[in-house]
């Protein structure tokens, strides 16, 4: 059974930082591209960032370029998203998802971790 468990979400101030993690199990993590998607209150699902199986080719939506960094540790079957220079518009539930790369078309996703940016 595929399991994706996100953690690291929290309340942060504008300009602050958070690091999200996603522990994966139940499938060969190292051969799959992975991505992060988010859903803000009252809005649809938005693709944020994706990374290929080897971690060498990350992509980002324009609004987070230069602020967020996606990475992965295949030995630990864990996906990460470093969020820097947070803005109130980044407030959302963040999900990691399997089998996606440059879009929000995925095989499965986790339950999410809440990021709230507020002063």
């Amino acid at each position: 059974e595929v399991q994706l468990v996100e953690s690291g979400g929290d309340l942060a101030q504008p300009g602050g930082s958070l690091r999200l993690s996603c522990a994966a199990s139940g499938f060969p993590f190292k051969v799959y591209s992975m991505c992060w998607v988010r859903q803000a209150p009252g809005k649809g699902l938005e693709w944020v960032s994706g990374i290929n199986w080897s971690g060498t080719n990350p992509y980002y939506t324009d609004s987070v370029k230069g602020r967020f960094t996606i990475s992965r540790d295949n030995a630990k079957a864990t996906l990460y998203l470093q969020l820097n220079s947070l803005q109130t518009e980044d407030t959302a539930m963040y999900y990691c998802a399997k089998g996606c790369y440059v879009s929000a078309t995925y095989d499965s996703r986790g339950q999410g971790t809440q990021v709230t940016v507020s002063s």
Side-chain angles (χ1 to χ4, degrees), residues 2 4 6 14 18 33-34 48 51-52 58 61 67 71 76 80 96 98 110 116:
V2 172
L4 299 166
E6 302 93 336
L18 289 171
S33 59
M34 300 288 294
V48 176
I51 193 166
N52 62 336
T61 192
R67 300 189 298 118
S71 62
K76 295 182 178 180
Y80 302 99
C96 78
K98 166 184 170 284
T116 302

Side-chain angles (χ1 to χ4, degrees), residues 10-95:
D10 205 344
L11 172 64
Q13 292 190 338
S17 298
L18 289 171
R19 189 192 196 204
L20 308 184
S21 299
C22 172
S25 61
F27 67 100
F29 177 80
K30 64 183 180 182
V31 305
Y32 279 88
S33 59
M34 300 288 294
C35 72
W36 289 94
V37 297
R38 67 184 179 184
Q39 187 163 23
K43 296 189 176 180
L45 199 64
E46 177 189 25
W47 172 83
V48 176
S49 178
I51 193 166
N52 62 336
W53 65 273
S54 64
T56 55
N57 234 13
Y59 285 90
Y60 303 92
T61 192
D62 286 347
S63 63
V64 309
K65 281 180 183 175
R67 300 189 298 118
F68 291 7
T69 303
I70 190 171
S71 62
R72 65 190 296 162
D73 185 334
N74 286 342
K76 295 182 178 180
T78 302
L79 180 71
Y80 302 99
L81 187 67
Q82 178 69 41
L83 290 64
N84 296 331
S85 301
L86 282 163
Q87 303 170 355
T88 55
E89 305 81 63
D90 297 318
T91 294
M93 185 70 80
Y94 284 71
Y95 303 91

